Amino acid sequence: MPKLSDLLFPAPLRKTPKPGESGVPKTPAPQNLKDEPPEQQTEYGRLGEKALEAPTEALAWVDQRMAASGFLTGMLFRKVPKGTNWFYTLGSATLIAFIVQAITGVFLAMFYTPSTTQAYTSIAHINNDVFLGQFVHGMHKWGASVMVILIFLHMGRTFFFGAYKYPRELNWVIGVVLLILTMTMAFTGYLLPFDQRSYWASIVGININGTGPIVGPYLSDFLRAGPEVGATTLSRFYAIHMLLLPGAIIALIGAHLYLVVKLGTTAPPWTKADKPRVAEPTTNLEAGVSGNGYRPNGAPTIAGVQVDANHGDGTAPA
Ligand code: HEM
């Protein structure tokens, strides 16, 4: 069975196995009879080697059935432009913030009760009695603000680096939806402790939504779920906060990252594009390069557009 590292790593990056590793004998075979015989490997050593290889073999087994290594290789070894810097980590930082929110949210949901009479006391119980409860609740509460700050910084980076332009407009639009969903996540989460602050802040938020043109009144009615903020409002906010929005955010992050990998990353605006290489005149054109020959300076054309006669990797066509 092929090793996973052989499937994942492109040939130039593959590690040459060292003596003793699988397939390579620990000591070279004796050159002549005077040489020492090769060291006998103990049963214990062989078992150890097998145990070390087990996880990679298991992954290779899965990969043979999923054929995911091609995608992973493409994703992990894709080219990134020169000059990328710390600003490019803001998207991943937002992703990590979201993952932290999802994990801590699952643990909070185990102890939280979305009822007007028990919500506040269940949060007090989490903070006062549950093992690490206050820590996990604190991570979730502060993590929400961290995610909002990071998403704005990430949006600022993509805006100022011109990453919203062709061909990444769709990814920008997906990002805008992610921003709205993240803000809605923060808004719906705020009511859940059902204390004085969250109650009155939610009323203010619902009323602000009501001032929107055309859809505003419908939106605030939908959010309030009745004439007053109460039990149905809390259940509705809870369902939106822990089921609807996380599902939508996960799906959109998937599409967002797919496009990031597919389209590649935008180079920083201050980096200069490489000078186009001028083709050497050649009589042996590649298939696909139109035979309508040469421009006066010797470069061939495809559909009338002057092209570089070199391959993308700089090698001349055969
Ligand atoms: C949950 C929220 C989000 C997550 C997890 C996320 C994640 C990411 C990641 C990991 C990248 C690649 C690395 C990077 O360039 O930083 C990226 C790129 C990108 N993101 Fe987001 N993002 C989110 C929200 C947004 C928002 C709100 C916008 C804009 C409105 C946006 C627009 C973009 C664009 C245009 C790119 C391509 C950047 C390039 O080509 O250089 N994203 N995102």
Side-chain angles (χ1 to χ4, degrees):
M1 191 175 288
K3 282 177 75 178
L4 189 74
S5 51
D6 290 346
L7 294 172
L8 272 182
F9 286 90
L13 294 178
R14 258 174 232 154
K15 241 175 52 183
T16 334
K18 291 192 195 105
E21 282 182 7
S22 61
V24 181
K26 218 166 194 171
T27 40
Q31 299 296 311
N32 55 52
L33 288 176
K34 278 183 206 157
D35 283 341
E36 293 277 310
E39 200 181 299
Q40 287 296 312
Q41 209 185 15
T42 60
E43 186 66 19
Y44 178 76
R46 268 196 299 276
L47 270 177
E49 231 171 58
K50 275 209 170 341
L52 281 177
E53 278 171 17
T56 33
E57 297 233 335
L59 281 173
W61 185 91
V62 174
D63 185 56
Q64 277 184 340
R65 279 134 194 99
M66 279 185 67
S69 56
F71 168 77
L72 283 175
T73 308
M75 195 184 79
L76 296 173
F77 296 98
R78 67 186 194 279
K79 286 185 177 170
V80 288
K82 279 181 209 154
T84 47
N85 52 40
W86 280 98
F87 292 115
Y88 286 78
T89 59
L90 289 166
S92 311
T94 315
L95 179 64
I96 299 291
F98 174 71
I99 293 170
V100 169
Q101 289 304 93
I103 295 171
T104 51
V106 167
F107 286 104
L108 291 178
M110 289 178 190
F111 298 95
Y112 174 75
T113 317
S115 111
T116 43
T117 50
Q118 290 172 53
Y120 182 79
T121 43
S122 66
I123 297 272
H125 170 64
I126 291 172
N127 286 340
N128 300 329
D129 312 320
V130 176
F131 175 64
L132 291 180
Q134 194 172 21
F135 177 67
V136 173
H137 181 209
M139 276 183 82
H140 197 76
K141 185 175 158 180
W142 289 101
S145 304
V146 169
M147 186 173 168
V148 170
I149 293 169
L150 285 173
I151 201 172
F152 273 103
L153 290 176
H154 171 59
M155 185 172 67
R157 197 290 283 173
T158 51
F159 177 75
F160 286 114
F161 282 38
Y164 56 87
K165 295 179 193 168
Y166 177 83
R168 298 183 182 81
E169 301 97 321
L170 179 63
N171 219 13
W172 173 265
V173 172
I174 292 176
V176 171
V177 180
L178 277 170
L179 178 73
I180 295 168
L181 295 184
T182 304
M183 299 304 284
T184 316
M185 196 76 172
F187 176 60
T188 49
Y190 207 81
L191 179 67
L192 301 185
F194 220 69
D195 53 15
Q196 286 291 328
R197 188 170 42 177
S198 61
Y199 178 79
W200 292 107
S202 299
I203 291 182
V204 172
I206 290 170
N207 289 344
I208 291 175
N209 273 284
T211 61
I214 306 166
V215 289
Y218 297 103
L219 191 59
S220 66
D221 278 355
F222 169 75
L223 289 170
R224 202 182 305 101
E228 299 286 339
V229 169
T232 41
T233 325
L234 186 60
S235 310
R236 187 164 292 193
F237 272 44
Y238 186 52
I240 294 174
H241 184 78
M242 60 97 71
L243 291 172
L244 186 68
L245 293 177
I249 291 179
I250 289 168
L252 285 174
I253 288 181
H256 196 64
L257 297 186
Y258 170 77
L259 285 178
V260 167
V261 173
K262 185 103 184 140
L263 302 173
T265 315
T266 315
W270 53 83
T271 50
K272 288 197 186 104
D274 283 346
K275 268 191 184 165
R277 283 178 297 240
V278 177
E280 294 293 319
T282 166
T283 47
N284 190 6
L285 282 176
E286 256 184 304
V289 174
S290 100
N292 68 355
Y294 296 100
R295 285 282 179 89
N297 69 0
T301 60
I302 296 177
V305 179
Q306 191 169 337
V307 295
D308 182 349
N310 290 332
H311 288 300
D313 60 4
T315 56

